[in-house]
Amino acid sequence: QVTLKESGPALVKPTQTLTLTCTFSGFSLSTSGMRASWIRQPPGKALEWLARIDWDDDKFYSASVNTRLTISKDTSKNQVVLTMTNMDPMDTATYYCARDVTKGLDYWGQGTLVTVSS
Amino acid sequence: DIQMTQSPSSLSASVGDRVTITCRASQSISSYLNWYQQKPGKAPQLLIYAASSLQSGVPSRFSGGGSGTDFTLTISSLQPEDFATYYCQQSYSTPRTFGQGTKLEIK
């Protein structure tokens, strides 16, 4: 059974750095072809793909937030970590992690709401 | 980046109706197109991948079609649980862009 769960602060101040952790089970990011992605969704708005990390440690980022994002993985802990620097109120959103396979984002976490406010 | 445009942005329909949502890519993406359903307060769920393949467990009233730049999601006979927001997403290249969503509401 594949599960994913996001964790991290619910509230961050402007200019701070956000660190989110996705802890998963039921698959391994050391398996060839396996990937994990982060996606966010501002309240009432559309989904926005942010970043992806692959089994071979290749990393891909959204151009719109590229310079602020870092994605990493710890295969021994079954975790993927997303770091976003210089947070702004416009970054207020629900952040999701998802398993990313050839056929798409087939399993998602429940999401975690991050509010950016002073 | 590949831009994904869905139409309509919102749609009112009745139980039993047949509805079609369209998604257009800014360049050819072959059949690398996925559809997701999202209900309020919940994470999206994969419905259709590779333009027309039904994800396991998804009812057969859902179907997808198209290739290249133009794609459709069709629900053959709307059920109460189908009222939700639907997103297309291309998996042809990174970044994996989404459409802006189509909100399906009860008439």
Side-chain angles (χ1 to χ4, degrees):
Chain A
Q1 180 189 3
V2 174
T3 64
L4 305 97
K5 187 172 184 179
E6 306 86 353
S7 58
L11 179 66
V12 297
K13 290 180 168 39
T15 75
Q16 285 186 336
T17 295
L18 171 69
T19 299
L20 294 174
T21 301
C22 174
T23 303
F24 58 86
S25 62
F27 69 99
S28 172
L29 264 180
S30 59
T31 299
S32 179
M34 206 56 67
R35 317 176 191 111
S37 285
W38 284 94
I39 304 99
R40 70 178 177 180
Q41 185 173 40
K45 296 190 176 181
L47 301 166
E48 178 187 12
W49 182 90
L50 293 176
R52 191 185 92 197
I53 190 164
D54 296 356
W55 77 98
D56 58 1
D57 213 37
D58 273 351
K59 300 165 187 176
F60 303 87
Y61 298 100
S62 165
S64 64
V65 288
N66 181 22
T67 58
R68 300 169 50 210
L69 288 178
T70 303
I71 192 170
S72 62
K73 62 181 172 69
D74 186 332
T75 52
S76 66
K77 293 183 179 179
N78 279 350
Q79 290 182 333
V80 176
V81 176
L82 184 75
T83 300
M84 182 178 289
T85 61
N86 194 23
M87 292 293 284
D88 182 89
M90 296 285 287
D91 296 314
T92 294
T94 297
Y95 287 76
Y96 296 99
C97 64
R99 189 176 82 159
D100 191 336
V101 294
T102 304
K103 60 177 168 178
L105 303 165
D106 64 346
Y107 288 92
W108 294 63
Q110 64 190 22
T112 186
L113 175 62
V114 178
T115 300
V116 185
S117 174
S118 54
Chain B
D1 296 3
I2 298 174
Q3 306 303 314
M4 307 301 294
T5 304
Q6 289 180 234
S7 61
S9 296
S10 63
L11 176 59
S12 292
S14 302
V15 173
D17 284 353
R18 177 185 180 91
V19 299
T20 296
I21 298 167
T22 64
C23 178
R24 175 164 288 176
S26 60
Q27 66 183 73
S28 177
I29 57 171
S30 185
S31 295
Y32 292 94
L33 191 283
N34 309 314
W35 289 97
Y36 301 85
Q37 178 194 65
Q38 187 180 32
K39 296 182 179 178
K42 300 293 187 182
Q45 289 187 300
L46 179 64
L47 289 179
I48 288 173
Y49 62 95
S52 60
S53 296
L54 210 59
Q55 171 70 341
S56 175
V58 173
S60 59
R61 62 181 180 273
F62 291 91
S63 64
S67 65
T69 60
D70 294 310
F71 301 87
T72 58
L73 171 69
T74 298
I75 309 172
S76 60
S77 178
L78 274 174
Q79 299 302 299
E81 60 268 28
D82 300 336
F83 292 93
T85 300
Y86 294 85
Y87 293 93
C88 63
Q89 182 216 19
Q90 62 84 15
S91 52
Y92 180 81
S93 66
T94 51
R96 300 280 208 244
T97 40
F98 288 91
Q100 82 278 17
T102 295
K103 186 173 184 179
L104 181 52
E105 299 174 304
I106 300 174
K107 185 182 287 185

